[in-house]
Structures are given as C-alpha cells and as structure tokens.
Amino acid sequence: MVRVALITGVTGQDGSFLAELLLGKGYEVHGTIRRSSVDFRERIAHLEGQPHFHLHYADMSDSMSLLQVIGLIRPQEIYNLAAQSHVQVSFDAPEFTANVDATGVLRILEAVRLCGLTHSCRIYQASTSELYGKVEQIPQNEDTPFHPYSPYAVAKLYGHWIVREYREAYGMFCCAGILFNHESERRGETFVTRKITLAAARIRQGKQKKLYLGNLSSYRDWGYAKDYVECMWLMLQNIKPEDYVIATGKQHTVREFCRLAFHYVGIELEFVGEGVDEKGVDRRSGEIVVEVSPDFYRPTDVVNLLGDPSKACRELGWNPEKTSFEELVRIMVEADMVKVTAEQVGEHVRTNLTEYLEKGIVK
Ligand code: NAP
Ligand code: G4F
C-alpha cells in the first residue's frame, strides 16, 4: 500500500526537505501552495512533474480550502509546517500570525475530524523552541515551562496545546516536535544565519559593503534542517503520539556564527565595541564590514536557547551530532558563494545581451 502524506508549507525550507525525504521512502506526497503574483516555488521546482508529487492550493486561514484538500486526498499523515514563521514580522502582523499559526492548526484538526479521519490520520505539528521564550531553565527539555515572548510564540503555543487537547479528547494520533533553530542553504534570506552567509559571500565578491544586524549576543541552538525533517517522520512512525525536543545540545551566539561564516569566505573578523556601537572589522583591511542597527532589535527577544534532546536520542534514535555547527555554516557559505557567483554571471550575460540587442547583434 502506498502511503499518502500531506505537507502544508511544502514551499518552505522544511517542507521542501521533507517532501524529498518522503518521496524517497515511496510516499505519494501532496503539498499545499498559495497563490502569489510571483513564483515562489524555487525550493520545490526540482520535484514538480514527478509522478508522486502533487500540489494543491490551500491557505491556513481558509477552512474550506483545507477541508477540500484533506477530503480529496484522505492522507494517512499530515505534516503541518505552514506558518508565518518570522518572529520579528509577528510584531508587525500579530493578527495574521495568530490566524495562521494558532487557528490554522485548529482548522487542520477539525478538517481531519470532519472528513472522518480521526483514527486513521496521524498529524505532526511544527512547534518551536520559541515557546520557551524568556527561558525559565537552561537547557530546555519537554518538561521546561513555556514562557512565549513574541506574538509568533504565543500563536504557536495555542497550536501546541490544541494538538495535545485533540490527542487527549479524541484519541487522535497528533504530536508536536519542539524544534530548535534549524538552518540550511534553503533558509529564508531574512533569518539571521542566511542573512549572514549571503552577506559574507556578497562582501567577499565585492557585491555588498556592509552587513547590518541586531542583537549579536543572542544564543541559539542551531542544527541542519535536512537532519531535522527526519525526526518529523520518525515521530509519526512511533507507537504512541508524543512530543519531542529536537536540538543539538550546543549553543552559539549570532556573533560566533558571523565570525565563522566570514572566516569561510576568507575574511577574519574582529569585533570591537559594545551594544549598538559594536562593529565587525576585517583584520586585514581594517574595514568595518558588520554594524549593529537597532532596526533589527525586537520589542522582546529570546536570547538563550539551548535544547536537551535526550528523549529524542533515547526514543527516536536521534543523532544530534550528525551535522556539526561548523559543517552547517560551511554548507551555507559554500552554497551562497556559488549563488552570488551565478548571479554575477547572470548579470554579465544580461548586460552583454542588452548591449547586443541595442546594437542589433542579437534579435
Ligand atoms: P518557512 O521556510 O518560512 O516556510 C513556511 C511555509 O508556510 C511556506 O511554505 C509558506 O508558504 C507557508 N505558509 C505561510 N503562511 C501560509 C498560509 N497562510 N497558508 C498556507 N501556507 C502558508 O518555514 P520553515 O523554516 O520551513 O519552518 C517550517 C515550520 O516549522 C513553520 O511552522 C515554523 O514556524 C516551524 N519552525 C521552524 C524552525 C526553524 O528553525 N526553521 C524551528 C521551529 C519551528 P509561502 O512559500 O507561500 O510563503
Ligand atoms: O534567525 P532569527 O530571525 O530566528 P528566530 O527568531 O530564532 O526564529 C526562528 O527559529 C525559531 C525556533 O526557535 C522558529 F520557530 C522560527 O520560525 C524561526 O525559524 O533570529 C535569531 C536571533 C534572534 O535573537 C534575533 O534577535 O538572531 C537575532 N538577530 C540579530 N540580528 C537577528 C538579526 N535576526 C534576524 N532575523 N535578523 C537580524 O538582522
């Protein structure tokens, strides 16, 4: 029997890796997409056209679209990854964030019930280390109290609890992965890691002068997204539905990430000064390449995340050391060096083409 899975948020970083993983396991994979005036399907472009990969229009704020797709494909597994996932944006769009990240989860659960799939469909919910927020314990595990510290985290807390509620109230197989930050070469360009690796590559290739960041002293437990999606699948293959912390158990500051990313492009950074006056200086040239801008400060910021993945190691066979911090940064930097080079080649070709068109050499 071919297993059928639905991934909401398939166009995102995790959705694209998860789709690849499930297709590799022989699943029939369905994903939800949203209408956009420009094409944002870059991360899944290589999967489109494959016979076992299907896309459907649906939005987390639209019950009918979710009901329709779930009723049509009747999945055995749902991975609910769709979310307004940017913490800083959630301060500017708190109501939208709540609608998608909180009520959206409820819509999925109710759609499953209404389609008569209460006992046949397993659901994975993308919970987050942001739930620990203003942390009350270091490191954080499944028993650490939550203290959400942004509209995003508050919305995700509702999602987390409604999944637990449906598990207990209706005996549904639904569980939440409390995933700590996970990054990759497919990470959105406004998250701090990708912003740094892309800027390091551009600065190295003379395409950007400076990188402006917010809180450099924030600690994160950063892992590789490709490793983390495997845990989502493992959670749904469990005997019992349970929630797990997925993390590496190691933490680094934004400053450390920055220093290492620039090191990989051949720029050795020295940080001088403090707070908003702190600067990252290129040791060789003496030029300031990193500056702090209060524009990237958050009204409330989560500053000390460190996960304890012991339960996942014990029960899911999770290996928190599969991809080290150093390897992760190297993977991201290498991919961005290639991307920036390709952009330059593209620009060169475009410039030449314009010139040829103007001169009538190419018609
Ligand atoms: P991402 O790259 O931002 O992807 C989010 C996905 O959600 C995209 O496919 C996006 O579609 C979709 N989406 C947003 N709003 C939607 C709506 N109203 N209706 C339908 N789809 C919508 O996020 P990610 O990093 O892959 O994260 C996946 C999930 O894990 C998210 O729920 C996130 O909150 C959670 N999480 C992430 C991390 C992490 O470190 N990456 C850690 C813990 C938890 P478009 O492409 O159309 O925008
Ligand atoms: O990269 P970030 O924006 O990720 P954040 O806020 O930790 O959220 C990500 O991870 C969560 C898991 O814990 C997910 F649930 C969520 O969906 C998302 O994927 O910021 C990381 C840290 C913050 O403390 C922020 O203040 O970096 C700090 N930072 C410093 N300068 C910056 C910047 N963050 C961003 N985005 N941009 C900056 O210039």
Side-chain angles (χ1 to χ4, degrees):
M1 277 281 285
V2 175
R3 292 190 72 75
V4 178
L6 173 66
I7 303 173
T8 69
V10 75
T11 55
Q13 170 189 256
D14 292 5
S16 63
F17 282 125
L18 182 64
E20 284 168 10
L21 180 87
L22 297 181
L23 286 168
K25 291 183 184 295
Y27 278 70
E28 197 73 32
V29 177
H30 296 258
T32 63
I33 51 166
R34 296 191 290 171
R35 148 90 186 129
S36 166
S37 64
V38 282
D39 188 6
F40 277 123
R41 295 194 226 161
E42 193 183 314
R43 295 186 183 105
I44 52 163
H46 60 296
L47 302 178
E48 290 192 55
Q50 288 199 20
H52 302 293
F53 185 64
H54 316 274
L55 296 175
H56 309 262
Y57 282 102
D59 195 292
M60 294 301 287
S61 62
D62 178 356
S63 307
M64 274 185 274
S65 66
L66 296 172
L67 254 172
Q68 212 166 2
V69 67
I70 291 172
L72 179 76
I73 68 172
R74 306 185 71 77
Q76 281 119 2
E77 295 176 13
I78 295 180
Y79 297 86
N80 184 36
L81 310 185
Q84 190 302 95
S85 72
H86 204 285
V87 174
Q88 188 155 12
V89 171
S90 77
F91 288 97
D92 296 328
E95 186 184 354
F96 173 75
T97 305
N99 194 9
V100 174
D101 299 10
T103 322
V105 186
L106 178 69
R107 292 188 186 103
I108 292 278
L109 293 164
E110 274 301 306
V112 167
R113 271 167 33 85
L114 286 168
C115 292
L117 304 173
T118 310
H119 298 296
S120 63
C121 180
R122 297 183 168 202
I123 303 166
Y124 170 86
Q125 166 60 18
S127 281
T128 164
S129 50
E130 289 292 310
L131 299 180
Y132 300 118
K134 194 174 180 189
V135 299
E136 296 186 9
Q137 187 184 307
I138 301 165
Q140 297 92 36
N141 63 26
E142 292 80 1
D143 299 320
T144 304
F146 296 134
H147 190 145
Y149 215 34
S150 65
Y152 166 80
V154 174
K156 281 283 184 178
L157 186 60
Y158 176 87
H160 188 81
W161 279 106
I162 200 70
V163 158
R164 289 181 74 151
E165 177 56 25
Y166 273 52
R167 183 160 79 210
E168 289 179 24
Y170 305 116
M172 287 169 79
F173 192 114
C174 40
C175 52
I178 307 172
L179 270 55
F180 281 63
N181 296 53
H182 44 282
E183 319 292 314
S184 74
E185 62 281 23
R186 296 186 194 170
R187 186 58 144 151
E189 293 177 10
T190 58
F191 293 98
V192 78
T193 54
R194 187 71 200 288
K195 186 172 162 184
I196 293 170
T197 57
L198 203 47
R202 286 194 175 132
I203 289 172
R204 178 72 178 85
Q205 300 190 37
K207 303 299 287 178
Q208 186 175 329
K209 286 247 170 286
K210 259 184 210 168
L211 165 65
Y212 292 92
L213 294 171
N215 185 358
L216 296 173
S217 302
S218 193
Y219 279 95
R220 285 291 181 278
D221 179 330
W222 280 298
Y224 188 33
K226 211 171 180 174
D227 301 340
Y228 283 47
V229 298
E230 254 180 80
C231 279
M232 300 176 184
W233 177 76
L234 285 170
M235 277 182 226
L236 292 198
Q237 313 314 309
N238 231 350
I239 298 165
K240 280 193 307 179
E242 294 220 17
D243 303 333
Y244 289 91
V245 159
I246 306 297
T248 70
K250 297 208 170 92
Q251 62 174 189
H252 299 272
T253 59
V254 170
R255 190 182 297 102
E256 283 163 17
F257 191 104
C258 207
R259 201 182 279 125
L260 190 59
F262 276 81
H263 167 75
Y264 283 136
V265 300
I267 299 173
E268 301 306 327
L269 283 186
E270 184 177 0
F271 282 92
V272 295
E274 269 176 41
V276 78
D277 296 321
E278 187 166 355
K279 295 183 193 332
V281 181
D282 178 345
R283 279 199 185 140
R284 197 173 310 140
S285 67
E287 269 180 47
I288 296 169
V289 287
V290 181
E291 284 206 49
V292 172
S293 163
D295 285 351
F296 300 109
Y297 285 168
R298 297 172 181 182
T300 46
D301 197 11
V302 174
V303 293
N304 203 347
L305 291 179
L306 175 64
D308 169 8
S310 313
K311 182 181 173 193
C313 295
R314 220 174 32 247
E315 297 180 11
L316 299 176
W318 164 243
N319 172 11
E321 291 178 358
K322 196 164 172 188
T323 309
S324 68
F325 174 68
E326 290 72 19
E327 243 177 294
L328 168 69
V329 181
R330 192 184 47 73
I331 291 169
M332 293 179 70
V333 168
E334 279 180 6
D336 279 332
M337 283 298 274
V338 172
K339 179 183 158 74
V340 174
T341 310
E343 279 170 4
Q344 285 194 19
V345 172
E347 263 171 46
H348 185 68
V349 170
R350 266 194 303 279
T351 314
N352 281 350
L353 193 61
T354 314
E355 194 189 323
Y356 294 159
L357 284 168
E358 278 168 5
K359 288 183 181 162
I361 300 168
V362 175
K363 297 216 169 39

